[in-house]
Amino acid sequence: SGLEAVSLAGRVALVTGGNSGLGQGMAIGLAAAGADIVSIGPGNPAETTAAVNAHGRRLHAIAATLGPGADYTDIVSESVRELGRADILVNNAGIIRRADATEFSEKDWDDVIDVNLKACFFMSQAFARHVLAAGQRGKIINVASMLSFQGGIRVASYTASKSGVAGLTRLLANEWAARGINVNAIAPGYFATANTEALRADANRSREILGRIPAGRWGEPADLAWPAVFLASPASDYMHGAIVPVDGGWLAR
């Protein structure tokens, strides 16, 4: 059938921020393709757990907060202890802070960089150490952004972090491609999640954004499910350092 190329049967996927939004959409997609899920981060995993279980897969939740003080090695160890292995890492956890550049605070800078960029690197490092020691293949999917390509406004640390994620995706691909680890990224466009609530609530901004999206609608978390499965599966074994936009055509305008 050829579908075995995208099967994740017997695999375990670690998803940061898997309890809601984009992370939830990707976790459910990975489970639908056969993977068991470790959801990492704060929040109630009940909804994601129910959806993963509905696909006949297991979910283990780790309530660790990513950022200062997080023990990434411990997160990977617990994942392996609970579900037997670790094959896929989705670095999805992300936060955003908005203020004019002239007013932007150091705390809003540090908070965002710590979660979006620093945690992405050290989570990848802990995962890769495990995969290499176990002598297996690994797949890392980073979540970049439209602001990996564009500047945006009023989100200085977010733009810096997501531009950094794009660079990190390439750097890690360069180092690990020959060692059996694929590192790629998905760059979501404008999605209906908690991070974009402020934009969607602003009638003018919402209209401007929708008017520029060729698909004519905001993305839904389910739109990321199968792109994530593709990058997690053997179908993408020769892809390294790619940043795949899933944006309704936004970048094509």
Side-chain angles (χ1 to χ4, degrees), residues 151-234:
I153 52 168
R154 306 191 74 248
V155 289
S157 55
Y158 188 85
T159 296
S161 73
K162 292 302 187 178
S163 297
V165 166
L168 205 50
T169 300
R170 298 183 186 111
L171 173 283
L172 295 177
N174 288 339
E175 291 202 26
W176 295 341
R179 304 185 73 185
I181 300 175
N182 296 74
V183 187
N184 295 293
I186 289 174
Y190 285 86
F191 276 68
T193 66
N195 268 0
T196 58
E197 217 166 315
L199 295 177
R200 284 177 292 123
D202 178 332
N204 283 338
R205 282 289 280 139
S206 186
R207 195 166 53 245
E208 282 172 7
I209 288 167
L210 267 180
R212 202 203 134 138
I213 300 173
R217 66 173 178 88
W218 289 75
E220 296 293 336
D223 291 318
L224 288 188
W226 294 102
V229 169
F230 171 66
L231 289 178
S233 77

Side-chain angles (χ1 to χ4, degrees), residues 35-225:
D36 289 329
I37 305 295
V38 179
S39 181
I40 301 150
N44 185 346
E47 199 175 78
T48 310
T49 302
V52 167
N53 292 163
H55 287 294
R57 308 318 311 166
R58 296 174 293 166
L59 181 141
H60 176 68
I62 299 179
T65 301
L66 302 180
D71 188 332
Y72 301 103
T73 304
D74 199 53
I75 290 170
V76 175
S77 298
E78 181 177 335
S79 302
V80 174
R81 194 166 62 243
E82 292 294 328
L83 294 182
R85 50 189 301 126
D87 304 279
I88 298 153
L89 169 63
V90 181
N91 283 308
N92 160 77
I95 60 172
I96 195 163
R97 299 279 185 270
R98 290 186 171 86
D100 290 345
T102 49
E103 309 301 323
F104 211 87
S105 73
E106 192 168 351
K107 183 176 187 337
D108 282 348
W109 179 270
D110 290 343
D111 287 351
V112 171
I113 297 292
D114 278 345
V115 174
N116 295 15
L117 186 57
K118 188 175 177 181
C120 175
F121 175 75
F122 285 103
M123 192 71 225
S124 298
Q125 180 190 67
F127 173 81
R129 283 173 173 169
H130 167 77
V131 166
L132 294 170
Q136 63 175 73
R137 286 197 69 99
K139 298 271 184 171
I140 296 176
I141 303 167
N142 293 328
V143 176
S145 167
M146 292 296 95
L147 300 191
S148 299
F149 305 100
Q150 301 173 318
I153 52 168
R154 306 191 74 248
V155 289
S157 55
Y158 188 85
T159 296
S161 73
K162 292 302 187 178
S163 297
V165 166
L168 205 50
T169 300
R170 298 183 186 111
L171 173 283
L172 295 177
N174 288 339
E175 291 202 26
W176 295 341
R179 304 185 73 185
I181 300 175
N182 296 74
V183 187
N184 295 293
I186 289 174
Y190 285 86
F191 276 68
T193 66
N195 268 0
T196 58
E197 217 166 315
L199 295 177
R200 284 177 292 123
D202 178 332
N204 283 338
R205 282 289 280 139
S206 186
R207 195 166 53 245
E208 282 172 7
I209 288 167
L210 267 180
R212 202 203 134 138
I213 300 173
R217 66 173 178 88
W218 289 75
E220 296 293 336
D223 291 318
L224 288 188

Side-chain angles (χ1 to χ4, degrees), residues 3-26:
L3 281 178
E4 61 277 0
V6 290
S7 170
L8 302 179
R11 300 279 186 262
V12 172
L14 284 56
V15 182
T16 67
N19 293 340
S20 62
L22 304 185
Q24 183 178 71
M26 288 185 282

